[in-house]
Amino acid sequence: MNPSGEVEREIRRLSDKITRMQAPDGSWRFCFENAVLTDAYMIIVLRTLEIEDENLIRLLCERLLATQSADGAWRAFPDEREGNLSATVECYYALLYSGYSQVNDLAMAKARTFILSKGGLGRISGLMTKVMLAATGQYPWPRSLKIPLESLLLPSSFPVHFFDFSGYARVHMIPALLLADRQYSIKTKMTPDLTPLIGGDRKTLGNDYDELRPFLEQIGQGISALAGLPAQLHEEAVGYAERYMLERIEPDGTFYSYATCTFLMIFAMLAIGYDKRHPVIMKAVQGLKAMICKTARPIFVQNSPPDIWDTALLSCALQEAGTLADNPAILRSATYLLSKQHDRPGDWVKHNRNVPPGGWGFSASNTRNPDVDDTTAALRAIKRFASADAAYRGAWNRGLNWLLSMQNDDGGWPAFEKNTDKEILALLPFAEAKSSAIDPSTPDLTGRTLEFLGKYAGLTVDQTRIRRGADWLIGHQEKDGSWYGRWGVCFIYGTWAALTGMTAVGISPDHKAVRNGARWLAEIQNPDGGWGESCESDRQLRYIPLQGSTPSQTAWALDALISVHDSPTPAIRKGVQRLIGLTQEENAFTVYPTGAGLPGVFYSHYHSYRYIWPLLALAHYQNKYSS
């Protein structure tokens, strides 16, 4: 057996396959398969707006029915021990609203039994589920959302200000608060009746106010200090909310390039008097339809297509694998990425003033919400062009400047906005608050940024900002030697990012933190040589093994060990053999979701990950050990 020869052949095979899959415009457009809520909400919105796109609705119903478990429930991830109540309610509701499923259908009866066994509608924890049900007349407006709309007008000097929340939280809060302010609900002739799902004590529905009382009392005191008559302040707040949404609609019609908040925006626009056929609403629907992954069977609605992310990472992986910069595929991808660099300020300037734009976003439609991870990915991909071409050199300099400016005061890096990390906001009594209300430094973002700055920008721990980033990582290592990853599943992802980041900027492989991280990865290697981690890790905040190996997690662990060891260890050799096998298999583990959106709620299967990360890990193995 010749491991080096096998690796070389697999690198060639993957490289050829990836190159053939490139779109004519230079991008790679893989599917981003996420929670079923986007499919359910699409059906609900189309029926509410009375848009008769029957073929689409039928296809989305097929998707929902295909993902239902045998016990009647829907799950946030395949090995979730118990079904997910919120997801099951959403899917049940959408299927009934579609008109293509009936109450007495076996699938619906099983779903209904599951929902009632879990306490019915009164036990739903997901705030967005409650908002969608309330907006369509199936649930009383939650008392916790009766936050005065005037709170949007509080100055930045107030202890809790609207822009203290993360960008993701803000674009969902604005339409939700506007809907709750109007106590808006809309029904049509096709609206089903979910009363049989209430179960338990009806008085518990929407009665979630008490835990928020101190927070709301503080906001009330701040509003009382605002100048102006109550009626005038309220109208000003309504106008602010409307402008906030309109000013952040992307060219494709979506709100902030996310499907979830676009659904909410449509209902909010109806609440303030927009007609169902208003151009803003119709264009939003078209933008949502453009997010449908039509190459998958069954089709599904992506929350935000990963065009930039996939294109940048695949281009970088090809280059690491030896594909030259003058290769047409690399040239096309670089041209595409250059055209997608952001050139106007977004909300990130609220916490990072006087910095020129220069980042990249996740989706091609995203023109105002750049993020750190996509920016480092794009910069990796265009690095080879920056020395010889002025356009790329300017893009590189702007991107690098923006990236460096995004470092948090604590030394780590966030995803979208600097210093948006008031921990008190993560304590709000909403299921999604901890993972979405703030945007703090995370080990995966900090590690990946350090890896980029060390390997592609030539910076080391001798520079103060790099030392601060490395110190932040070392200070946030778990006791077992791992790191938690926020945007991937989960401890394997965070540990990979941390180890590759620290070694890239010059932290010695003999450093205690590096040794402990590498030891932890070797200890959790599966008997088959691969690695696999369950999404359950996100809920329990400790490593939970998956009963199988996934391509992306195996590649992450392998890549981390390669970055630490000067020669292949038995764990690395065994991992390489398993990774080569995984790239050619098709089973439940090769399509397991390893991307995290809202931990515990929303996970993603990137269809590109079975190509990106294995190719990158194998290329690093070949480049380091080929001699």
Side-chain angles (χ1 to χ4, degrees):
M1 182 181 292
N2 180 0
S4 181
E6 283 189 273
V7 169
E8 188 174 345
R9 284 193 296 273
E10 185 58 20
I11 288 173
R12 270 201 313 271
R13 188 187 74 83
L14 285 173
S15 297
D16 291 344
K17 187 167 186 177
I18 291 167
T19 301
R20 290 195 302 271
M21 298 168 84
Q22 189 179 38
D25 67 356
S27 68
W28 277 275
R29 296 180 181 271
F30 285 86
C31 293
F32 179 51
E33 190 169 352
N34 32 249
V36 288
L37 71 87
T38 50
D39 308 307
Y41 289 0
M42 188 72 177
I43 294 171
I44 294 168
V45 165
L46 291 173
R47 284 298 186 225
T48 299
L49 296 176
E50 298 177 294
I51 296 174
E52 296 181 359
D53 194 336
E54 299 309 308
N55 184 56
L56 173 57
I57 291 173
R58 277 196 299 269
L59 290 172
L60 291 175
C61 288
E62 288 179 17
R63 151 80 163 167
L64 295 185
L65 291 170
T67 52
Q68 186 181 23
S69 299
D71 62 0
W74 278 264
R75 284 166 161 73
F77 50 92
D79 57 323
E80 188 177 22
R81 293 175 184 175
E82 296 185 356
N84 188 287
L85 177 59
S86 290
T88 304
V89 169
E90 290 163 343
C91 293
Y92 179 89
Y93 183 29
L95 286 167
L96 274 188
Y97 210 160
S98 75
Y100 294 108
S101 290
Q102 307 302 320
V103 171
N104 294 326
D105 292 351
L106 179 60
M108 304 303 286
K110 292 171 71 175
R112 190 165 56 251
T113 298
F114 172 82
I115 292 167
L116 292 172
S117 74
K118 296 302 178 183
L121 299 186
R123 301 296 295 174
I124 292 171
S125 61
L127 185 61
M128 188 158 175
T129 310
K130 296 177 182 179
V131 170
M132 186 61 71
L133 292 176
T136 53
Q138 303 293 335
Y139 193 92
W141 274 102
R143 295 184 67 196
S144 59
L145 274 176
K146 293 180 181 178
I147 300 171
L149 205 58
E150 293 85 349
S151 63
L152 300 174
L153 306 177
L154 292 172
S156 57
S157 58
F158 192 69
V160 177
H161 179 255
F162 180 55
F163 277 90
D164 288 334
F165 287 91
S166 71
Y168 184 88
R170 291 195 306 270
V171 295
H172 289 80
M173 284 172 61
I174 279 276
L177 291 179
L178 194 52
L179 283 162
D181 177 76
R182 295 296 172 100
Q183 296 287 285
Y184 181 79
S185 68
I186 179 173
K187 291 186 176 182
T188 72
K189 61 185 179 182
M190 292 192 68
T191 303
D193 179 14
L194 297 188
T195 302
L197 298 183
I198 291 178
D201 185 358
R202 291 171 183 251
K203 294 180 181 179
T204 63
L205 291 181
N207 190 16
D208 52 0
Y209 173 80
D210 290 342
E211 293 178 271
L212 269 178
R213 191 182 298 276
F215 176 73
L216 295 178
E217 287 176 350
Q218 187 179 38
I219 285 179
Q221 293 172 4
I223 292 172
S224 65
L226 293 174
L229 297 173
Q232 292 174 328
L233 286 174
H234 187 263
E235 283 306 306
E236 187 177 344
V238 171
Y240 178 92
E242 181 182 7
R243 289 192 304 275
Y244 184 91
M245 291 186 291
L246 291 174
E247 291 169 359
R248 288 160 181 79
I249 293 176
E250 292 287 7
D252 69 343
T254 60
F255 180 30
Y256 229 53
S257 78
Y258 295 128
T260 47
C261 57
T262 303
F263 293 130
L264 295 182
M265 179 193 74
I266 288 171
F267 281 100
M269 292 302 188
L270 294 175
I272 58 176
Y274 281 56
D275 184 80
K276 287 183 178 181
R277 296 295 180 267
H278 190 284
V280 169
I281 292 177
M282 289 295 96
K283 191 169 183 181
V285 171
Q286 290 305 118
L288 290 168
K289 288 183 177 181
M291 290 182 171
I292 295 171
C293 181
K294 297 178 181 176
T295 59
R297 292 293 180 270
I299 68 169
F300 54 84
V301 181
Q302 303 173 95
N303 193 42
S304 49
D307 316 317
I308 307 303
W309 179 243
D310 282 347
T311 300
L313 290 176
L314 285 163
S315 177
C316 178
L318 285 172
Q319 292 179 61
E320 288 289 309
T323 305
L324 299 177
D326 60 357
N327 182 286
I330 302 302
L331 285 169
R332 286 194 296 266
S333 64
T335 302
Y336 175 82
L337 290 169
L338 185 65
S339 72
K340 300 301 180 182
Q341 186 176 30
H342 290 195
D343 58 6
R344 60 172 176 163
D347 285 349
W348 55 269
V349 301
K350 298 286 184 180
H351 300 282
N352 192 13
R353 298 184 183 279
N354 303 317
V355 175
W360 278 262
F362 184 71
S363 303
S365 61
N366 180 340
T367 66
R368 60 184 313 119
N369 185 34
D371 67 89
V372 166
D373 227 1
D374 280 284
T375 298
T376 61
L379 288 172
R380 286 181 181 93
I382 68 168
K383 166 67 174 175
R384 292 189 181 183
F385 300 90
S387 59
D389 189 298
Y392 287 100
R393 187 160 54 252
W396 168 270
N397 290 335
R398 291 191 301 275
L400 181 60
N401 179 64
W402 184 84
L403 178 70
L404 292 172
S405 77
M406 288 294 289
Q407 187 174 24
N408 280 334
D409 290 347
D410 63 11
W413 269 268
F416 296 96
E417 295 182 7
K418 182 177 181 177
N419 295 330
T420 314
D421 53 5
K422 285 190 176 180
E423 292 186 359
I424 188 174
L425 298 180
L427 301 177
L428 292 174
F430 305 135
E432 303 91 341
K434 185 174 183 181
S435 55
S436 66
I438 57 176
D439 185 10
S441 300
T442 64
D444 46 328
L445 266 299
T446 302
R448 284 185 52 72
T449 302
L450 289 180
E451 191 273 346
F452 163 76
L453 292 173
K455 185 172 181 179
Y456 292 85
L459 302 182
T460 70
V461 286
D462 293 333
Q463 280 87 29
T464 301
R465 69 167 64 246
I466 304 302
R467 168 54 65 182
R468 291 177 59 238
D471 287 345
W472 186 92
L473 269 180
I474 293 167
H476 286 79
Q477 188 174 27
E478 303 290 329
K479 291 181 180 179
D480 63 4
S482 67
W483 280 267
Y484 170 77
R486 161 65 180 86
W487 297 98
V489 179
C490 175
F491 290 94
I492 292 176
Y493 186 72
T495 305
W496 160 68
L499 291 179
T500 54
M502 288 193 295
T503 55
V505 296
I507 300 291
S508 170
D510 292 325
H511 190 285
K512 181 181 178 181
V514 176
R515 288 203 317 271
N516 287 342
R519 172 191 50 76
W520 179 81
L521 283 173
E523 288 176 351
I524 65 163
Q525 188 174 23
N526 288 335
D528 69 359
W531 281 262
E533 180 176 1
S534 171
C535 297
E536 187 68 30
S537 292
D538 256 349
R539 288 190 172 161
Q540 299 194 30
L541 292 181
R542 63 183 179 87
Y543 171 72
I544 305 293
L546 187 65
Q547 302 307 308
S549 300
T550 72
S552 54
Q553 291 167 332
T554 298
W556 294 332
L558 191 57
D559 198 36
L561 293 176
I562 291 168
S563 75
V564 172
H565 295 290
D566 289 333
S567 59
T569 64
I572 290 174
R573 291 186 184 279
K574 193 173 182 181
V576 165
Q577 289 296 322
R578 184 65 187 117
L579 183 60
I580 291 173
L582 285 168
T583 63
Q584 301 173 39
E585 293 177 11
E586 191 73 50
N587 57 49
F589 298 114
T590 58
V591 296
Y592 187 83
T594 58
L598 288 178
V601 179
F602 194 108
Y603 295 92
S604 301
H605 166 45
Y606 289 82
H607 289 202
S608 61
Y609 274 19
R610 66 182 305 164
Y611 304 107
I612 294 170
W613 306 116
L615 178 58
L616 205 59
L618 292 174
H620 288 163
Y621 176 91
Q622 185 82 339
N623 295 341
K624 187 168 186 175
Y625 302 137
S626 60
S627 61

